[in-house]
Amino acid sequence: MILTVTLNTALDITYRVRALRPHASHRVTEVIERPGGKGLNVARVLAALGHRVTATGFAGGTTGRSLRDQLADTSGVVDALVPVAGATRRTIAVVDQTTGDTTQLNEPGPVIAPAEWSAFLESYGDLVSSAAAVALCGSLPPGVPVGAYAQLVRTARAAGVPVLLDTSGEPLRRGVAARPDVVKPNADELAELTGSHEPLQATRDARRRGAHTVVASLGAEGLLAVNAEGRWRAVPPSRVRGNPTGAGDSAVAGLLSGLVDLLPWPAHLARAVAVSAATVLAPVAGEFDRRTYEELLERVIVTPHNAAA
């Protein structure tokens, strides 16, 4: 079982409009709702890749009930969310059908009480003991300690369970110091963590801060991975255009899948890039077409970084 942690879950709502214009009224052509937050997107993709997944985090209020009702219909994902008094947030994605661009609006999460955080820690400790790997994903809702991910990393490591961290800002800085097995920042998050805007230098700096493997997401330029075994650049065979929402979460799912399947790093990265690119081509976050993924997987380009362009 792979455990995903989404402390700031969301109900993702996607609106599609013919053309998005400021200061104008729009007729919505399609509305799609999905359980969201980074870790739930990861869980959905992992399940589609054939893994057993348990999803934990927080859910509350009317929005939280709707999220859990929809999560119950997600094959392969077990709901282990901890109930809270506050209302789960919503995220709104508006897709411009003319340009393919997406505008994102993110609500703040509910305030988590100390007793709710303690209840989560108890549940998390029980779940980790039977996990093959753990993903800690996304922002922290109000009330959760800024060092929360560092604490969760240490718990997983004490249980001998590999852990991947995907967050930003101070929670990332503190979490890296707890020595996670993998961190997956994007270029901006990596620069904020290390102060360096040169990706290779920044990934090396992040490793020195405690991460065993750093996989930097560079958008259209693919993934850059650095660890004790070497460094690699993995890119899709051609530029992929579509809805990038959730593409990073799909990359995390690919990385976790490769981790539990004990793939060598080049194959590991190819899986992450292929499923991420396939997600860009899908209409909503956390979904991908299996045939598209398999076709891309055969064509992903993985090279040692010093041989890459």
Side-chain angles (χ1 to χ4, degrees):
M1 177 269 287
I2 298 175
L3 178 65
T4 69
V5 175
T6 316
L7 297 177
N8 209 6
T9 57
L11 185 65
D12 286 346
I13 303 171
T14 301
Y15 293 142
R16 300 180 70 84
V17 298
R18 296 191 187 284
L20 182 62
R21 300 184 305 277
H23 316 299
S25 296
H26 297 79
R27 185 177 297 278
V28 175
T29 60
E30 184 181 21
V31 180
I32 302 172
E33 287 190 3
R34 291 289 188 276
K38 294 178 72 66
L40 292 185
N41 291 335
V42 171
R44 194 158 50 241
V45 174
L46 281 167
L49 288 170
H51 296 279
R52 293 187 304 110
V53 188
T54 296
T56 189
F58 296 113
T62 302
T63 310
R65 286 194 296 274
S66 179
L67 182 152
R68 299 187 81 163
D69 287 345
Q70 294 186 45
L71 190 61
D73 295 331
T74 304
S75 177
V77 179
V78 174
D79 176 357
L81 296 170
V82 174
V84 295
T88 295
R89 66 192 178 121
R90 296 168 298 178
T91 66
I92 312 296
V94 183
V95 179
D96 184 319
Q97 293 174 283
T98 301
T99 65
D101 293 335
T102 300
T103 300
Q104 192 82 16
L105 303 173
N106 298 326
E107 295 181 353
V111 176
I112 305 301
E116 293 168 338
W117 176 239
S118 295
F120 170 81
L121 289 176
E122 182 176 356
S123 175
Y124 175 78
D126 292 339
L127 291 167
V128 162
S129 63
S130 58
V134 178
L136 308 174
C137 302
S139 60
L140 301 179
V144 171
V146 70
Y149 283 136
Q151 183 176 3
L152 300 183
V153 168
R154 288 192 291 269
T155 299
R157 288 184 56 79
V161 178
V163 56
L164 182 152
L165 176 63
D166 182 18
T167 188
S168 61
E170 186 65 12
L172 174 60
R173 189 184 71 80
R174 297 196 186 196
V176 166
R179 302 186 64 79
D181 294 270
V182 183
V183 294
K184 194 216 70 66
N186 62 33
D188 290 340
E189 292 162 350
L190 191 59
E192 182 183 5
L193 173 66
T194 66
S196 174
H197 290 272
E198 199 290 307
L200 182 57
Q201 181 62 48
T203 53
R204 288 169 171 166
D205 288 349
R207 286 201 69 232
R208 282 194 287 269
R209 291 169 182 264
H212 292 270
T213 297
V214 180
V215 181
S217 177
L218 305 178
E221 297 181 23
L223 300 177
L224 171 64
V226 178
N227 60 24
E229 299 174 32
R231 57 184 187 265
W232 304 267
R233 175 69 65 84
V235 296
S238 59
R239 189 175 184 86
V240 178
R241 296 189 180 276
N243 181 2
T245 306
D249 303 333
S250 291
V252 169
L255 291 171
L256 278 168
S257 177
L259 193 66
V260 299
D261 286 346
L262 303 178
L263 294 181
W265 272 99
H268 199 146
L269 295 170
R271 180 176 293 182
V273 168
V275 73
S276 178
T279 298
V280 172
L281 297 172
V284 292
E287 291 188 358
F288 65 95
D289 178 74
R290 184 77 188 199
R291 179 176 295 180
T292 300
Y293 158 69
E294 291 173 351
E295 291 174 351
L296 286 166
L297 184 60
E298 296 297 320
R299 300 165 55 213
V300 170
I301 302 165
V302 182
T303 56
H305 181 264
N306 57 8

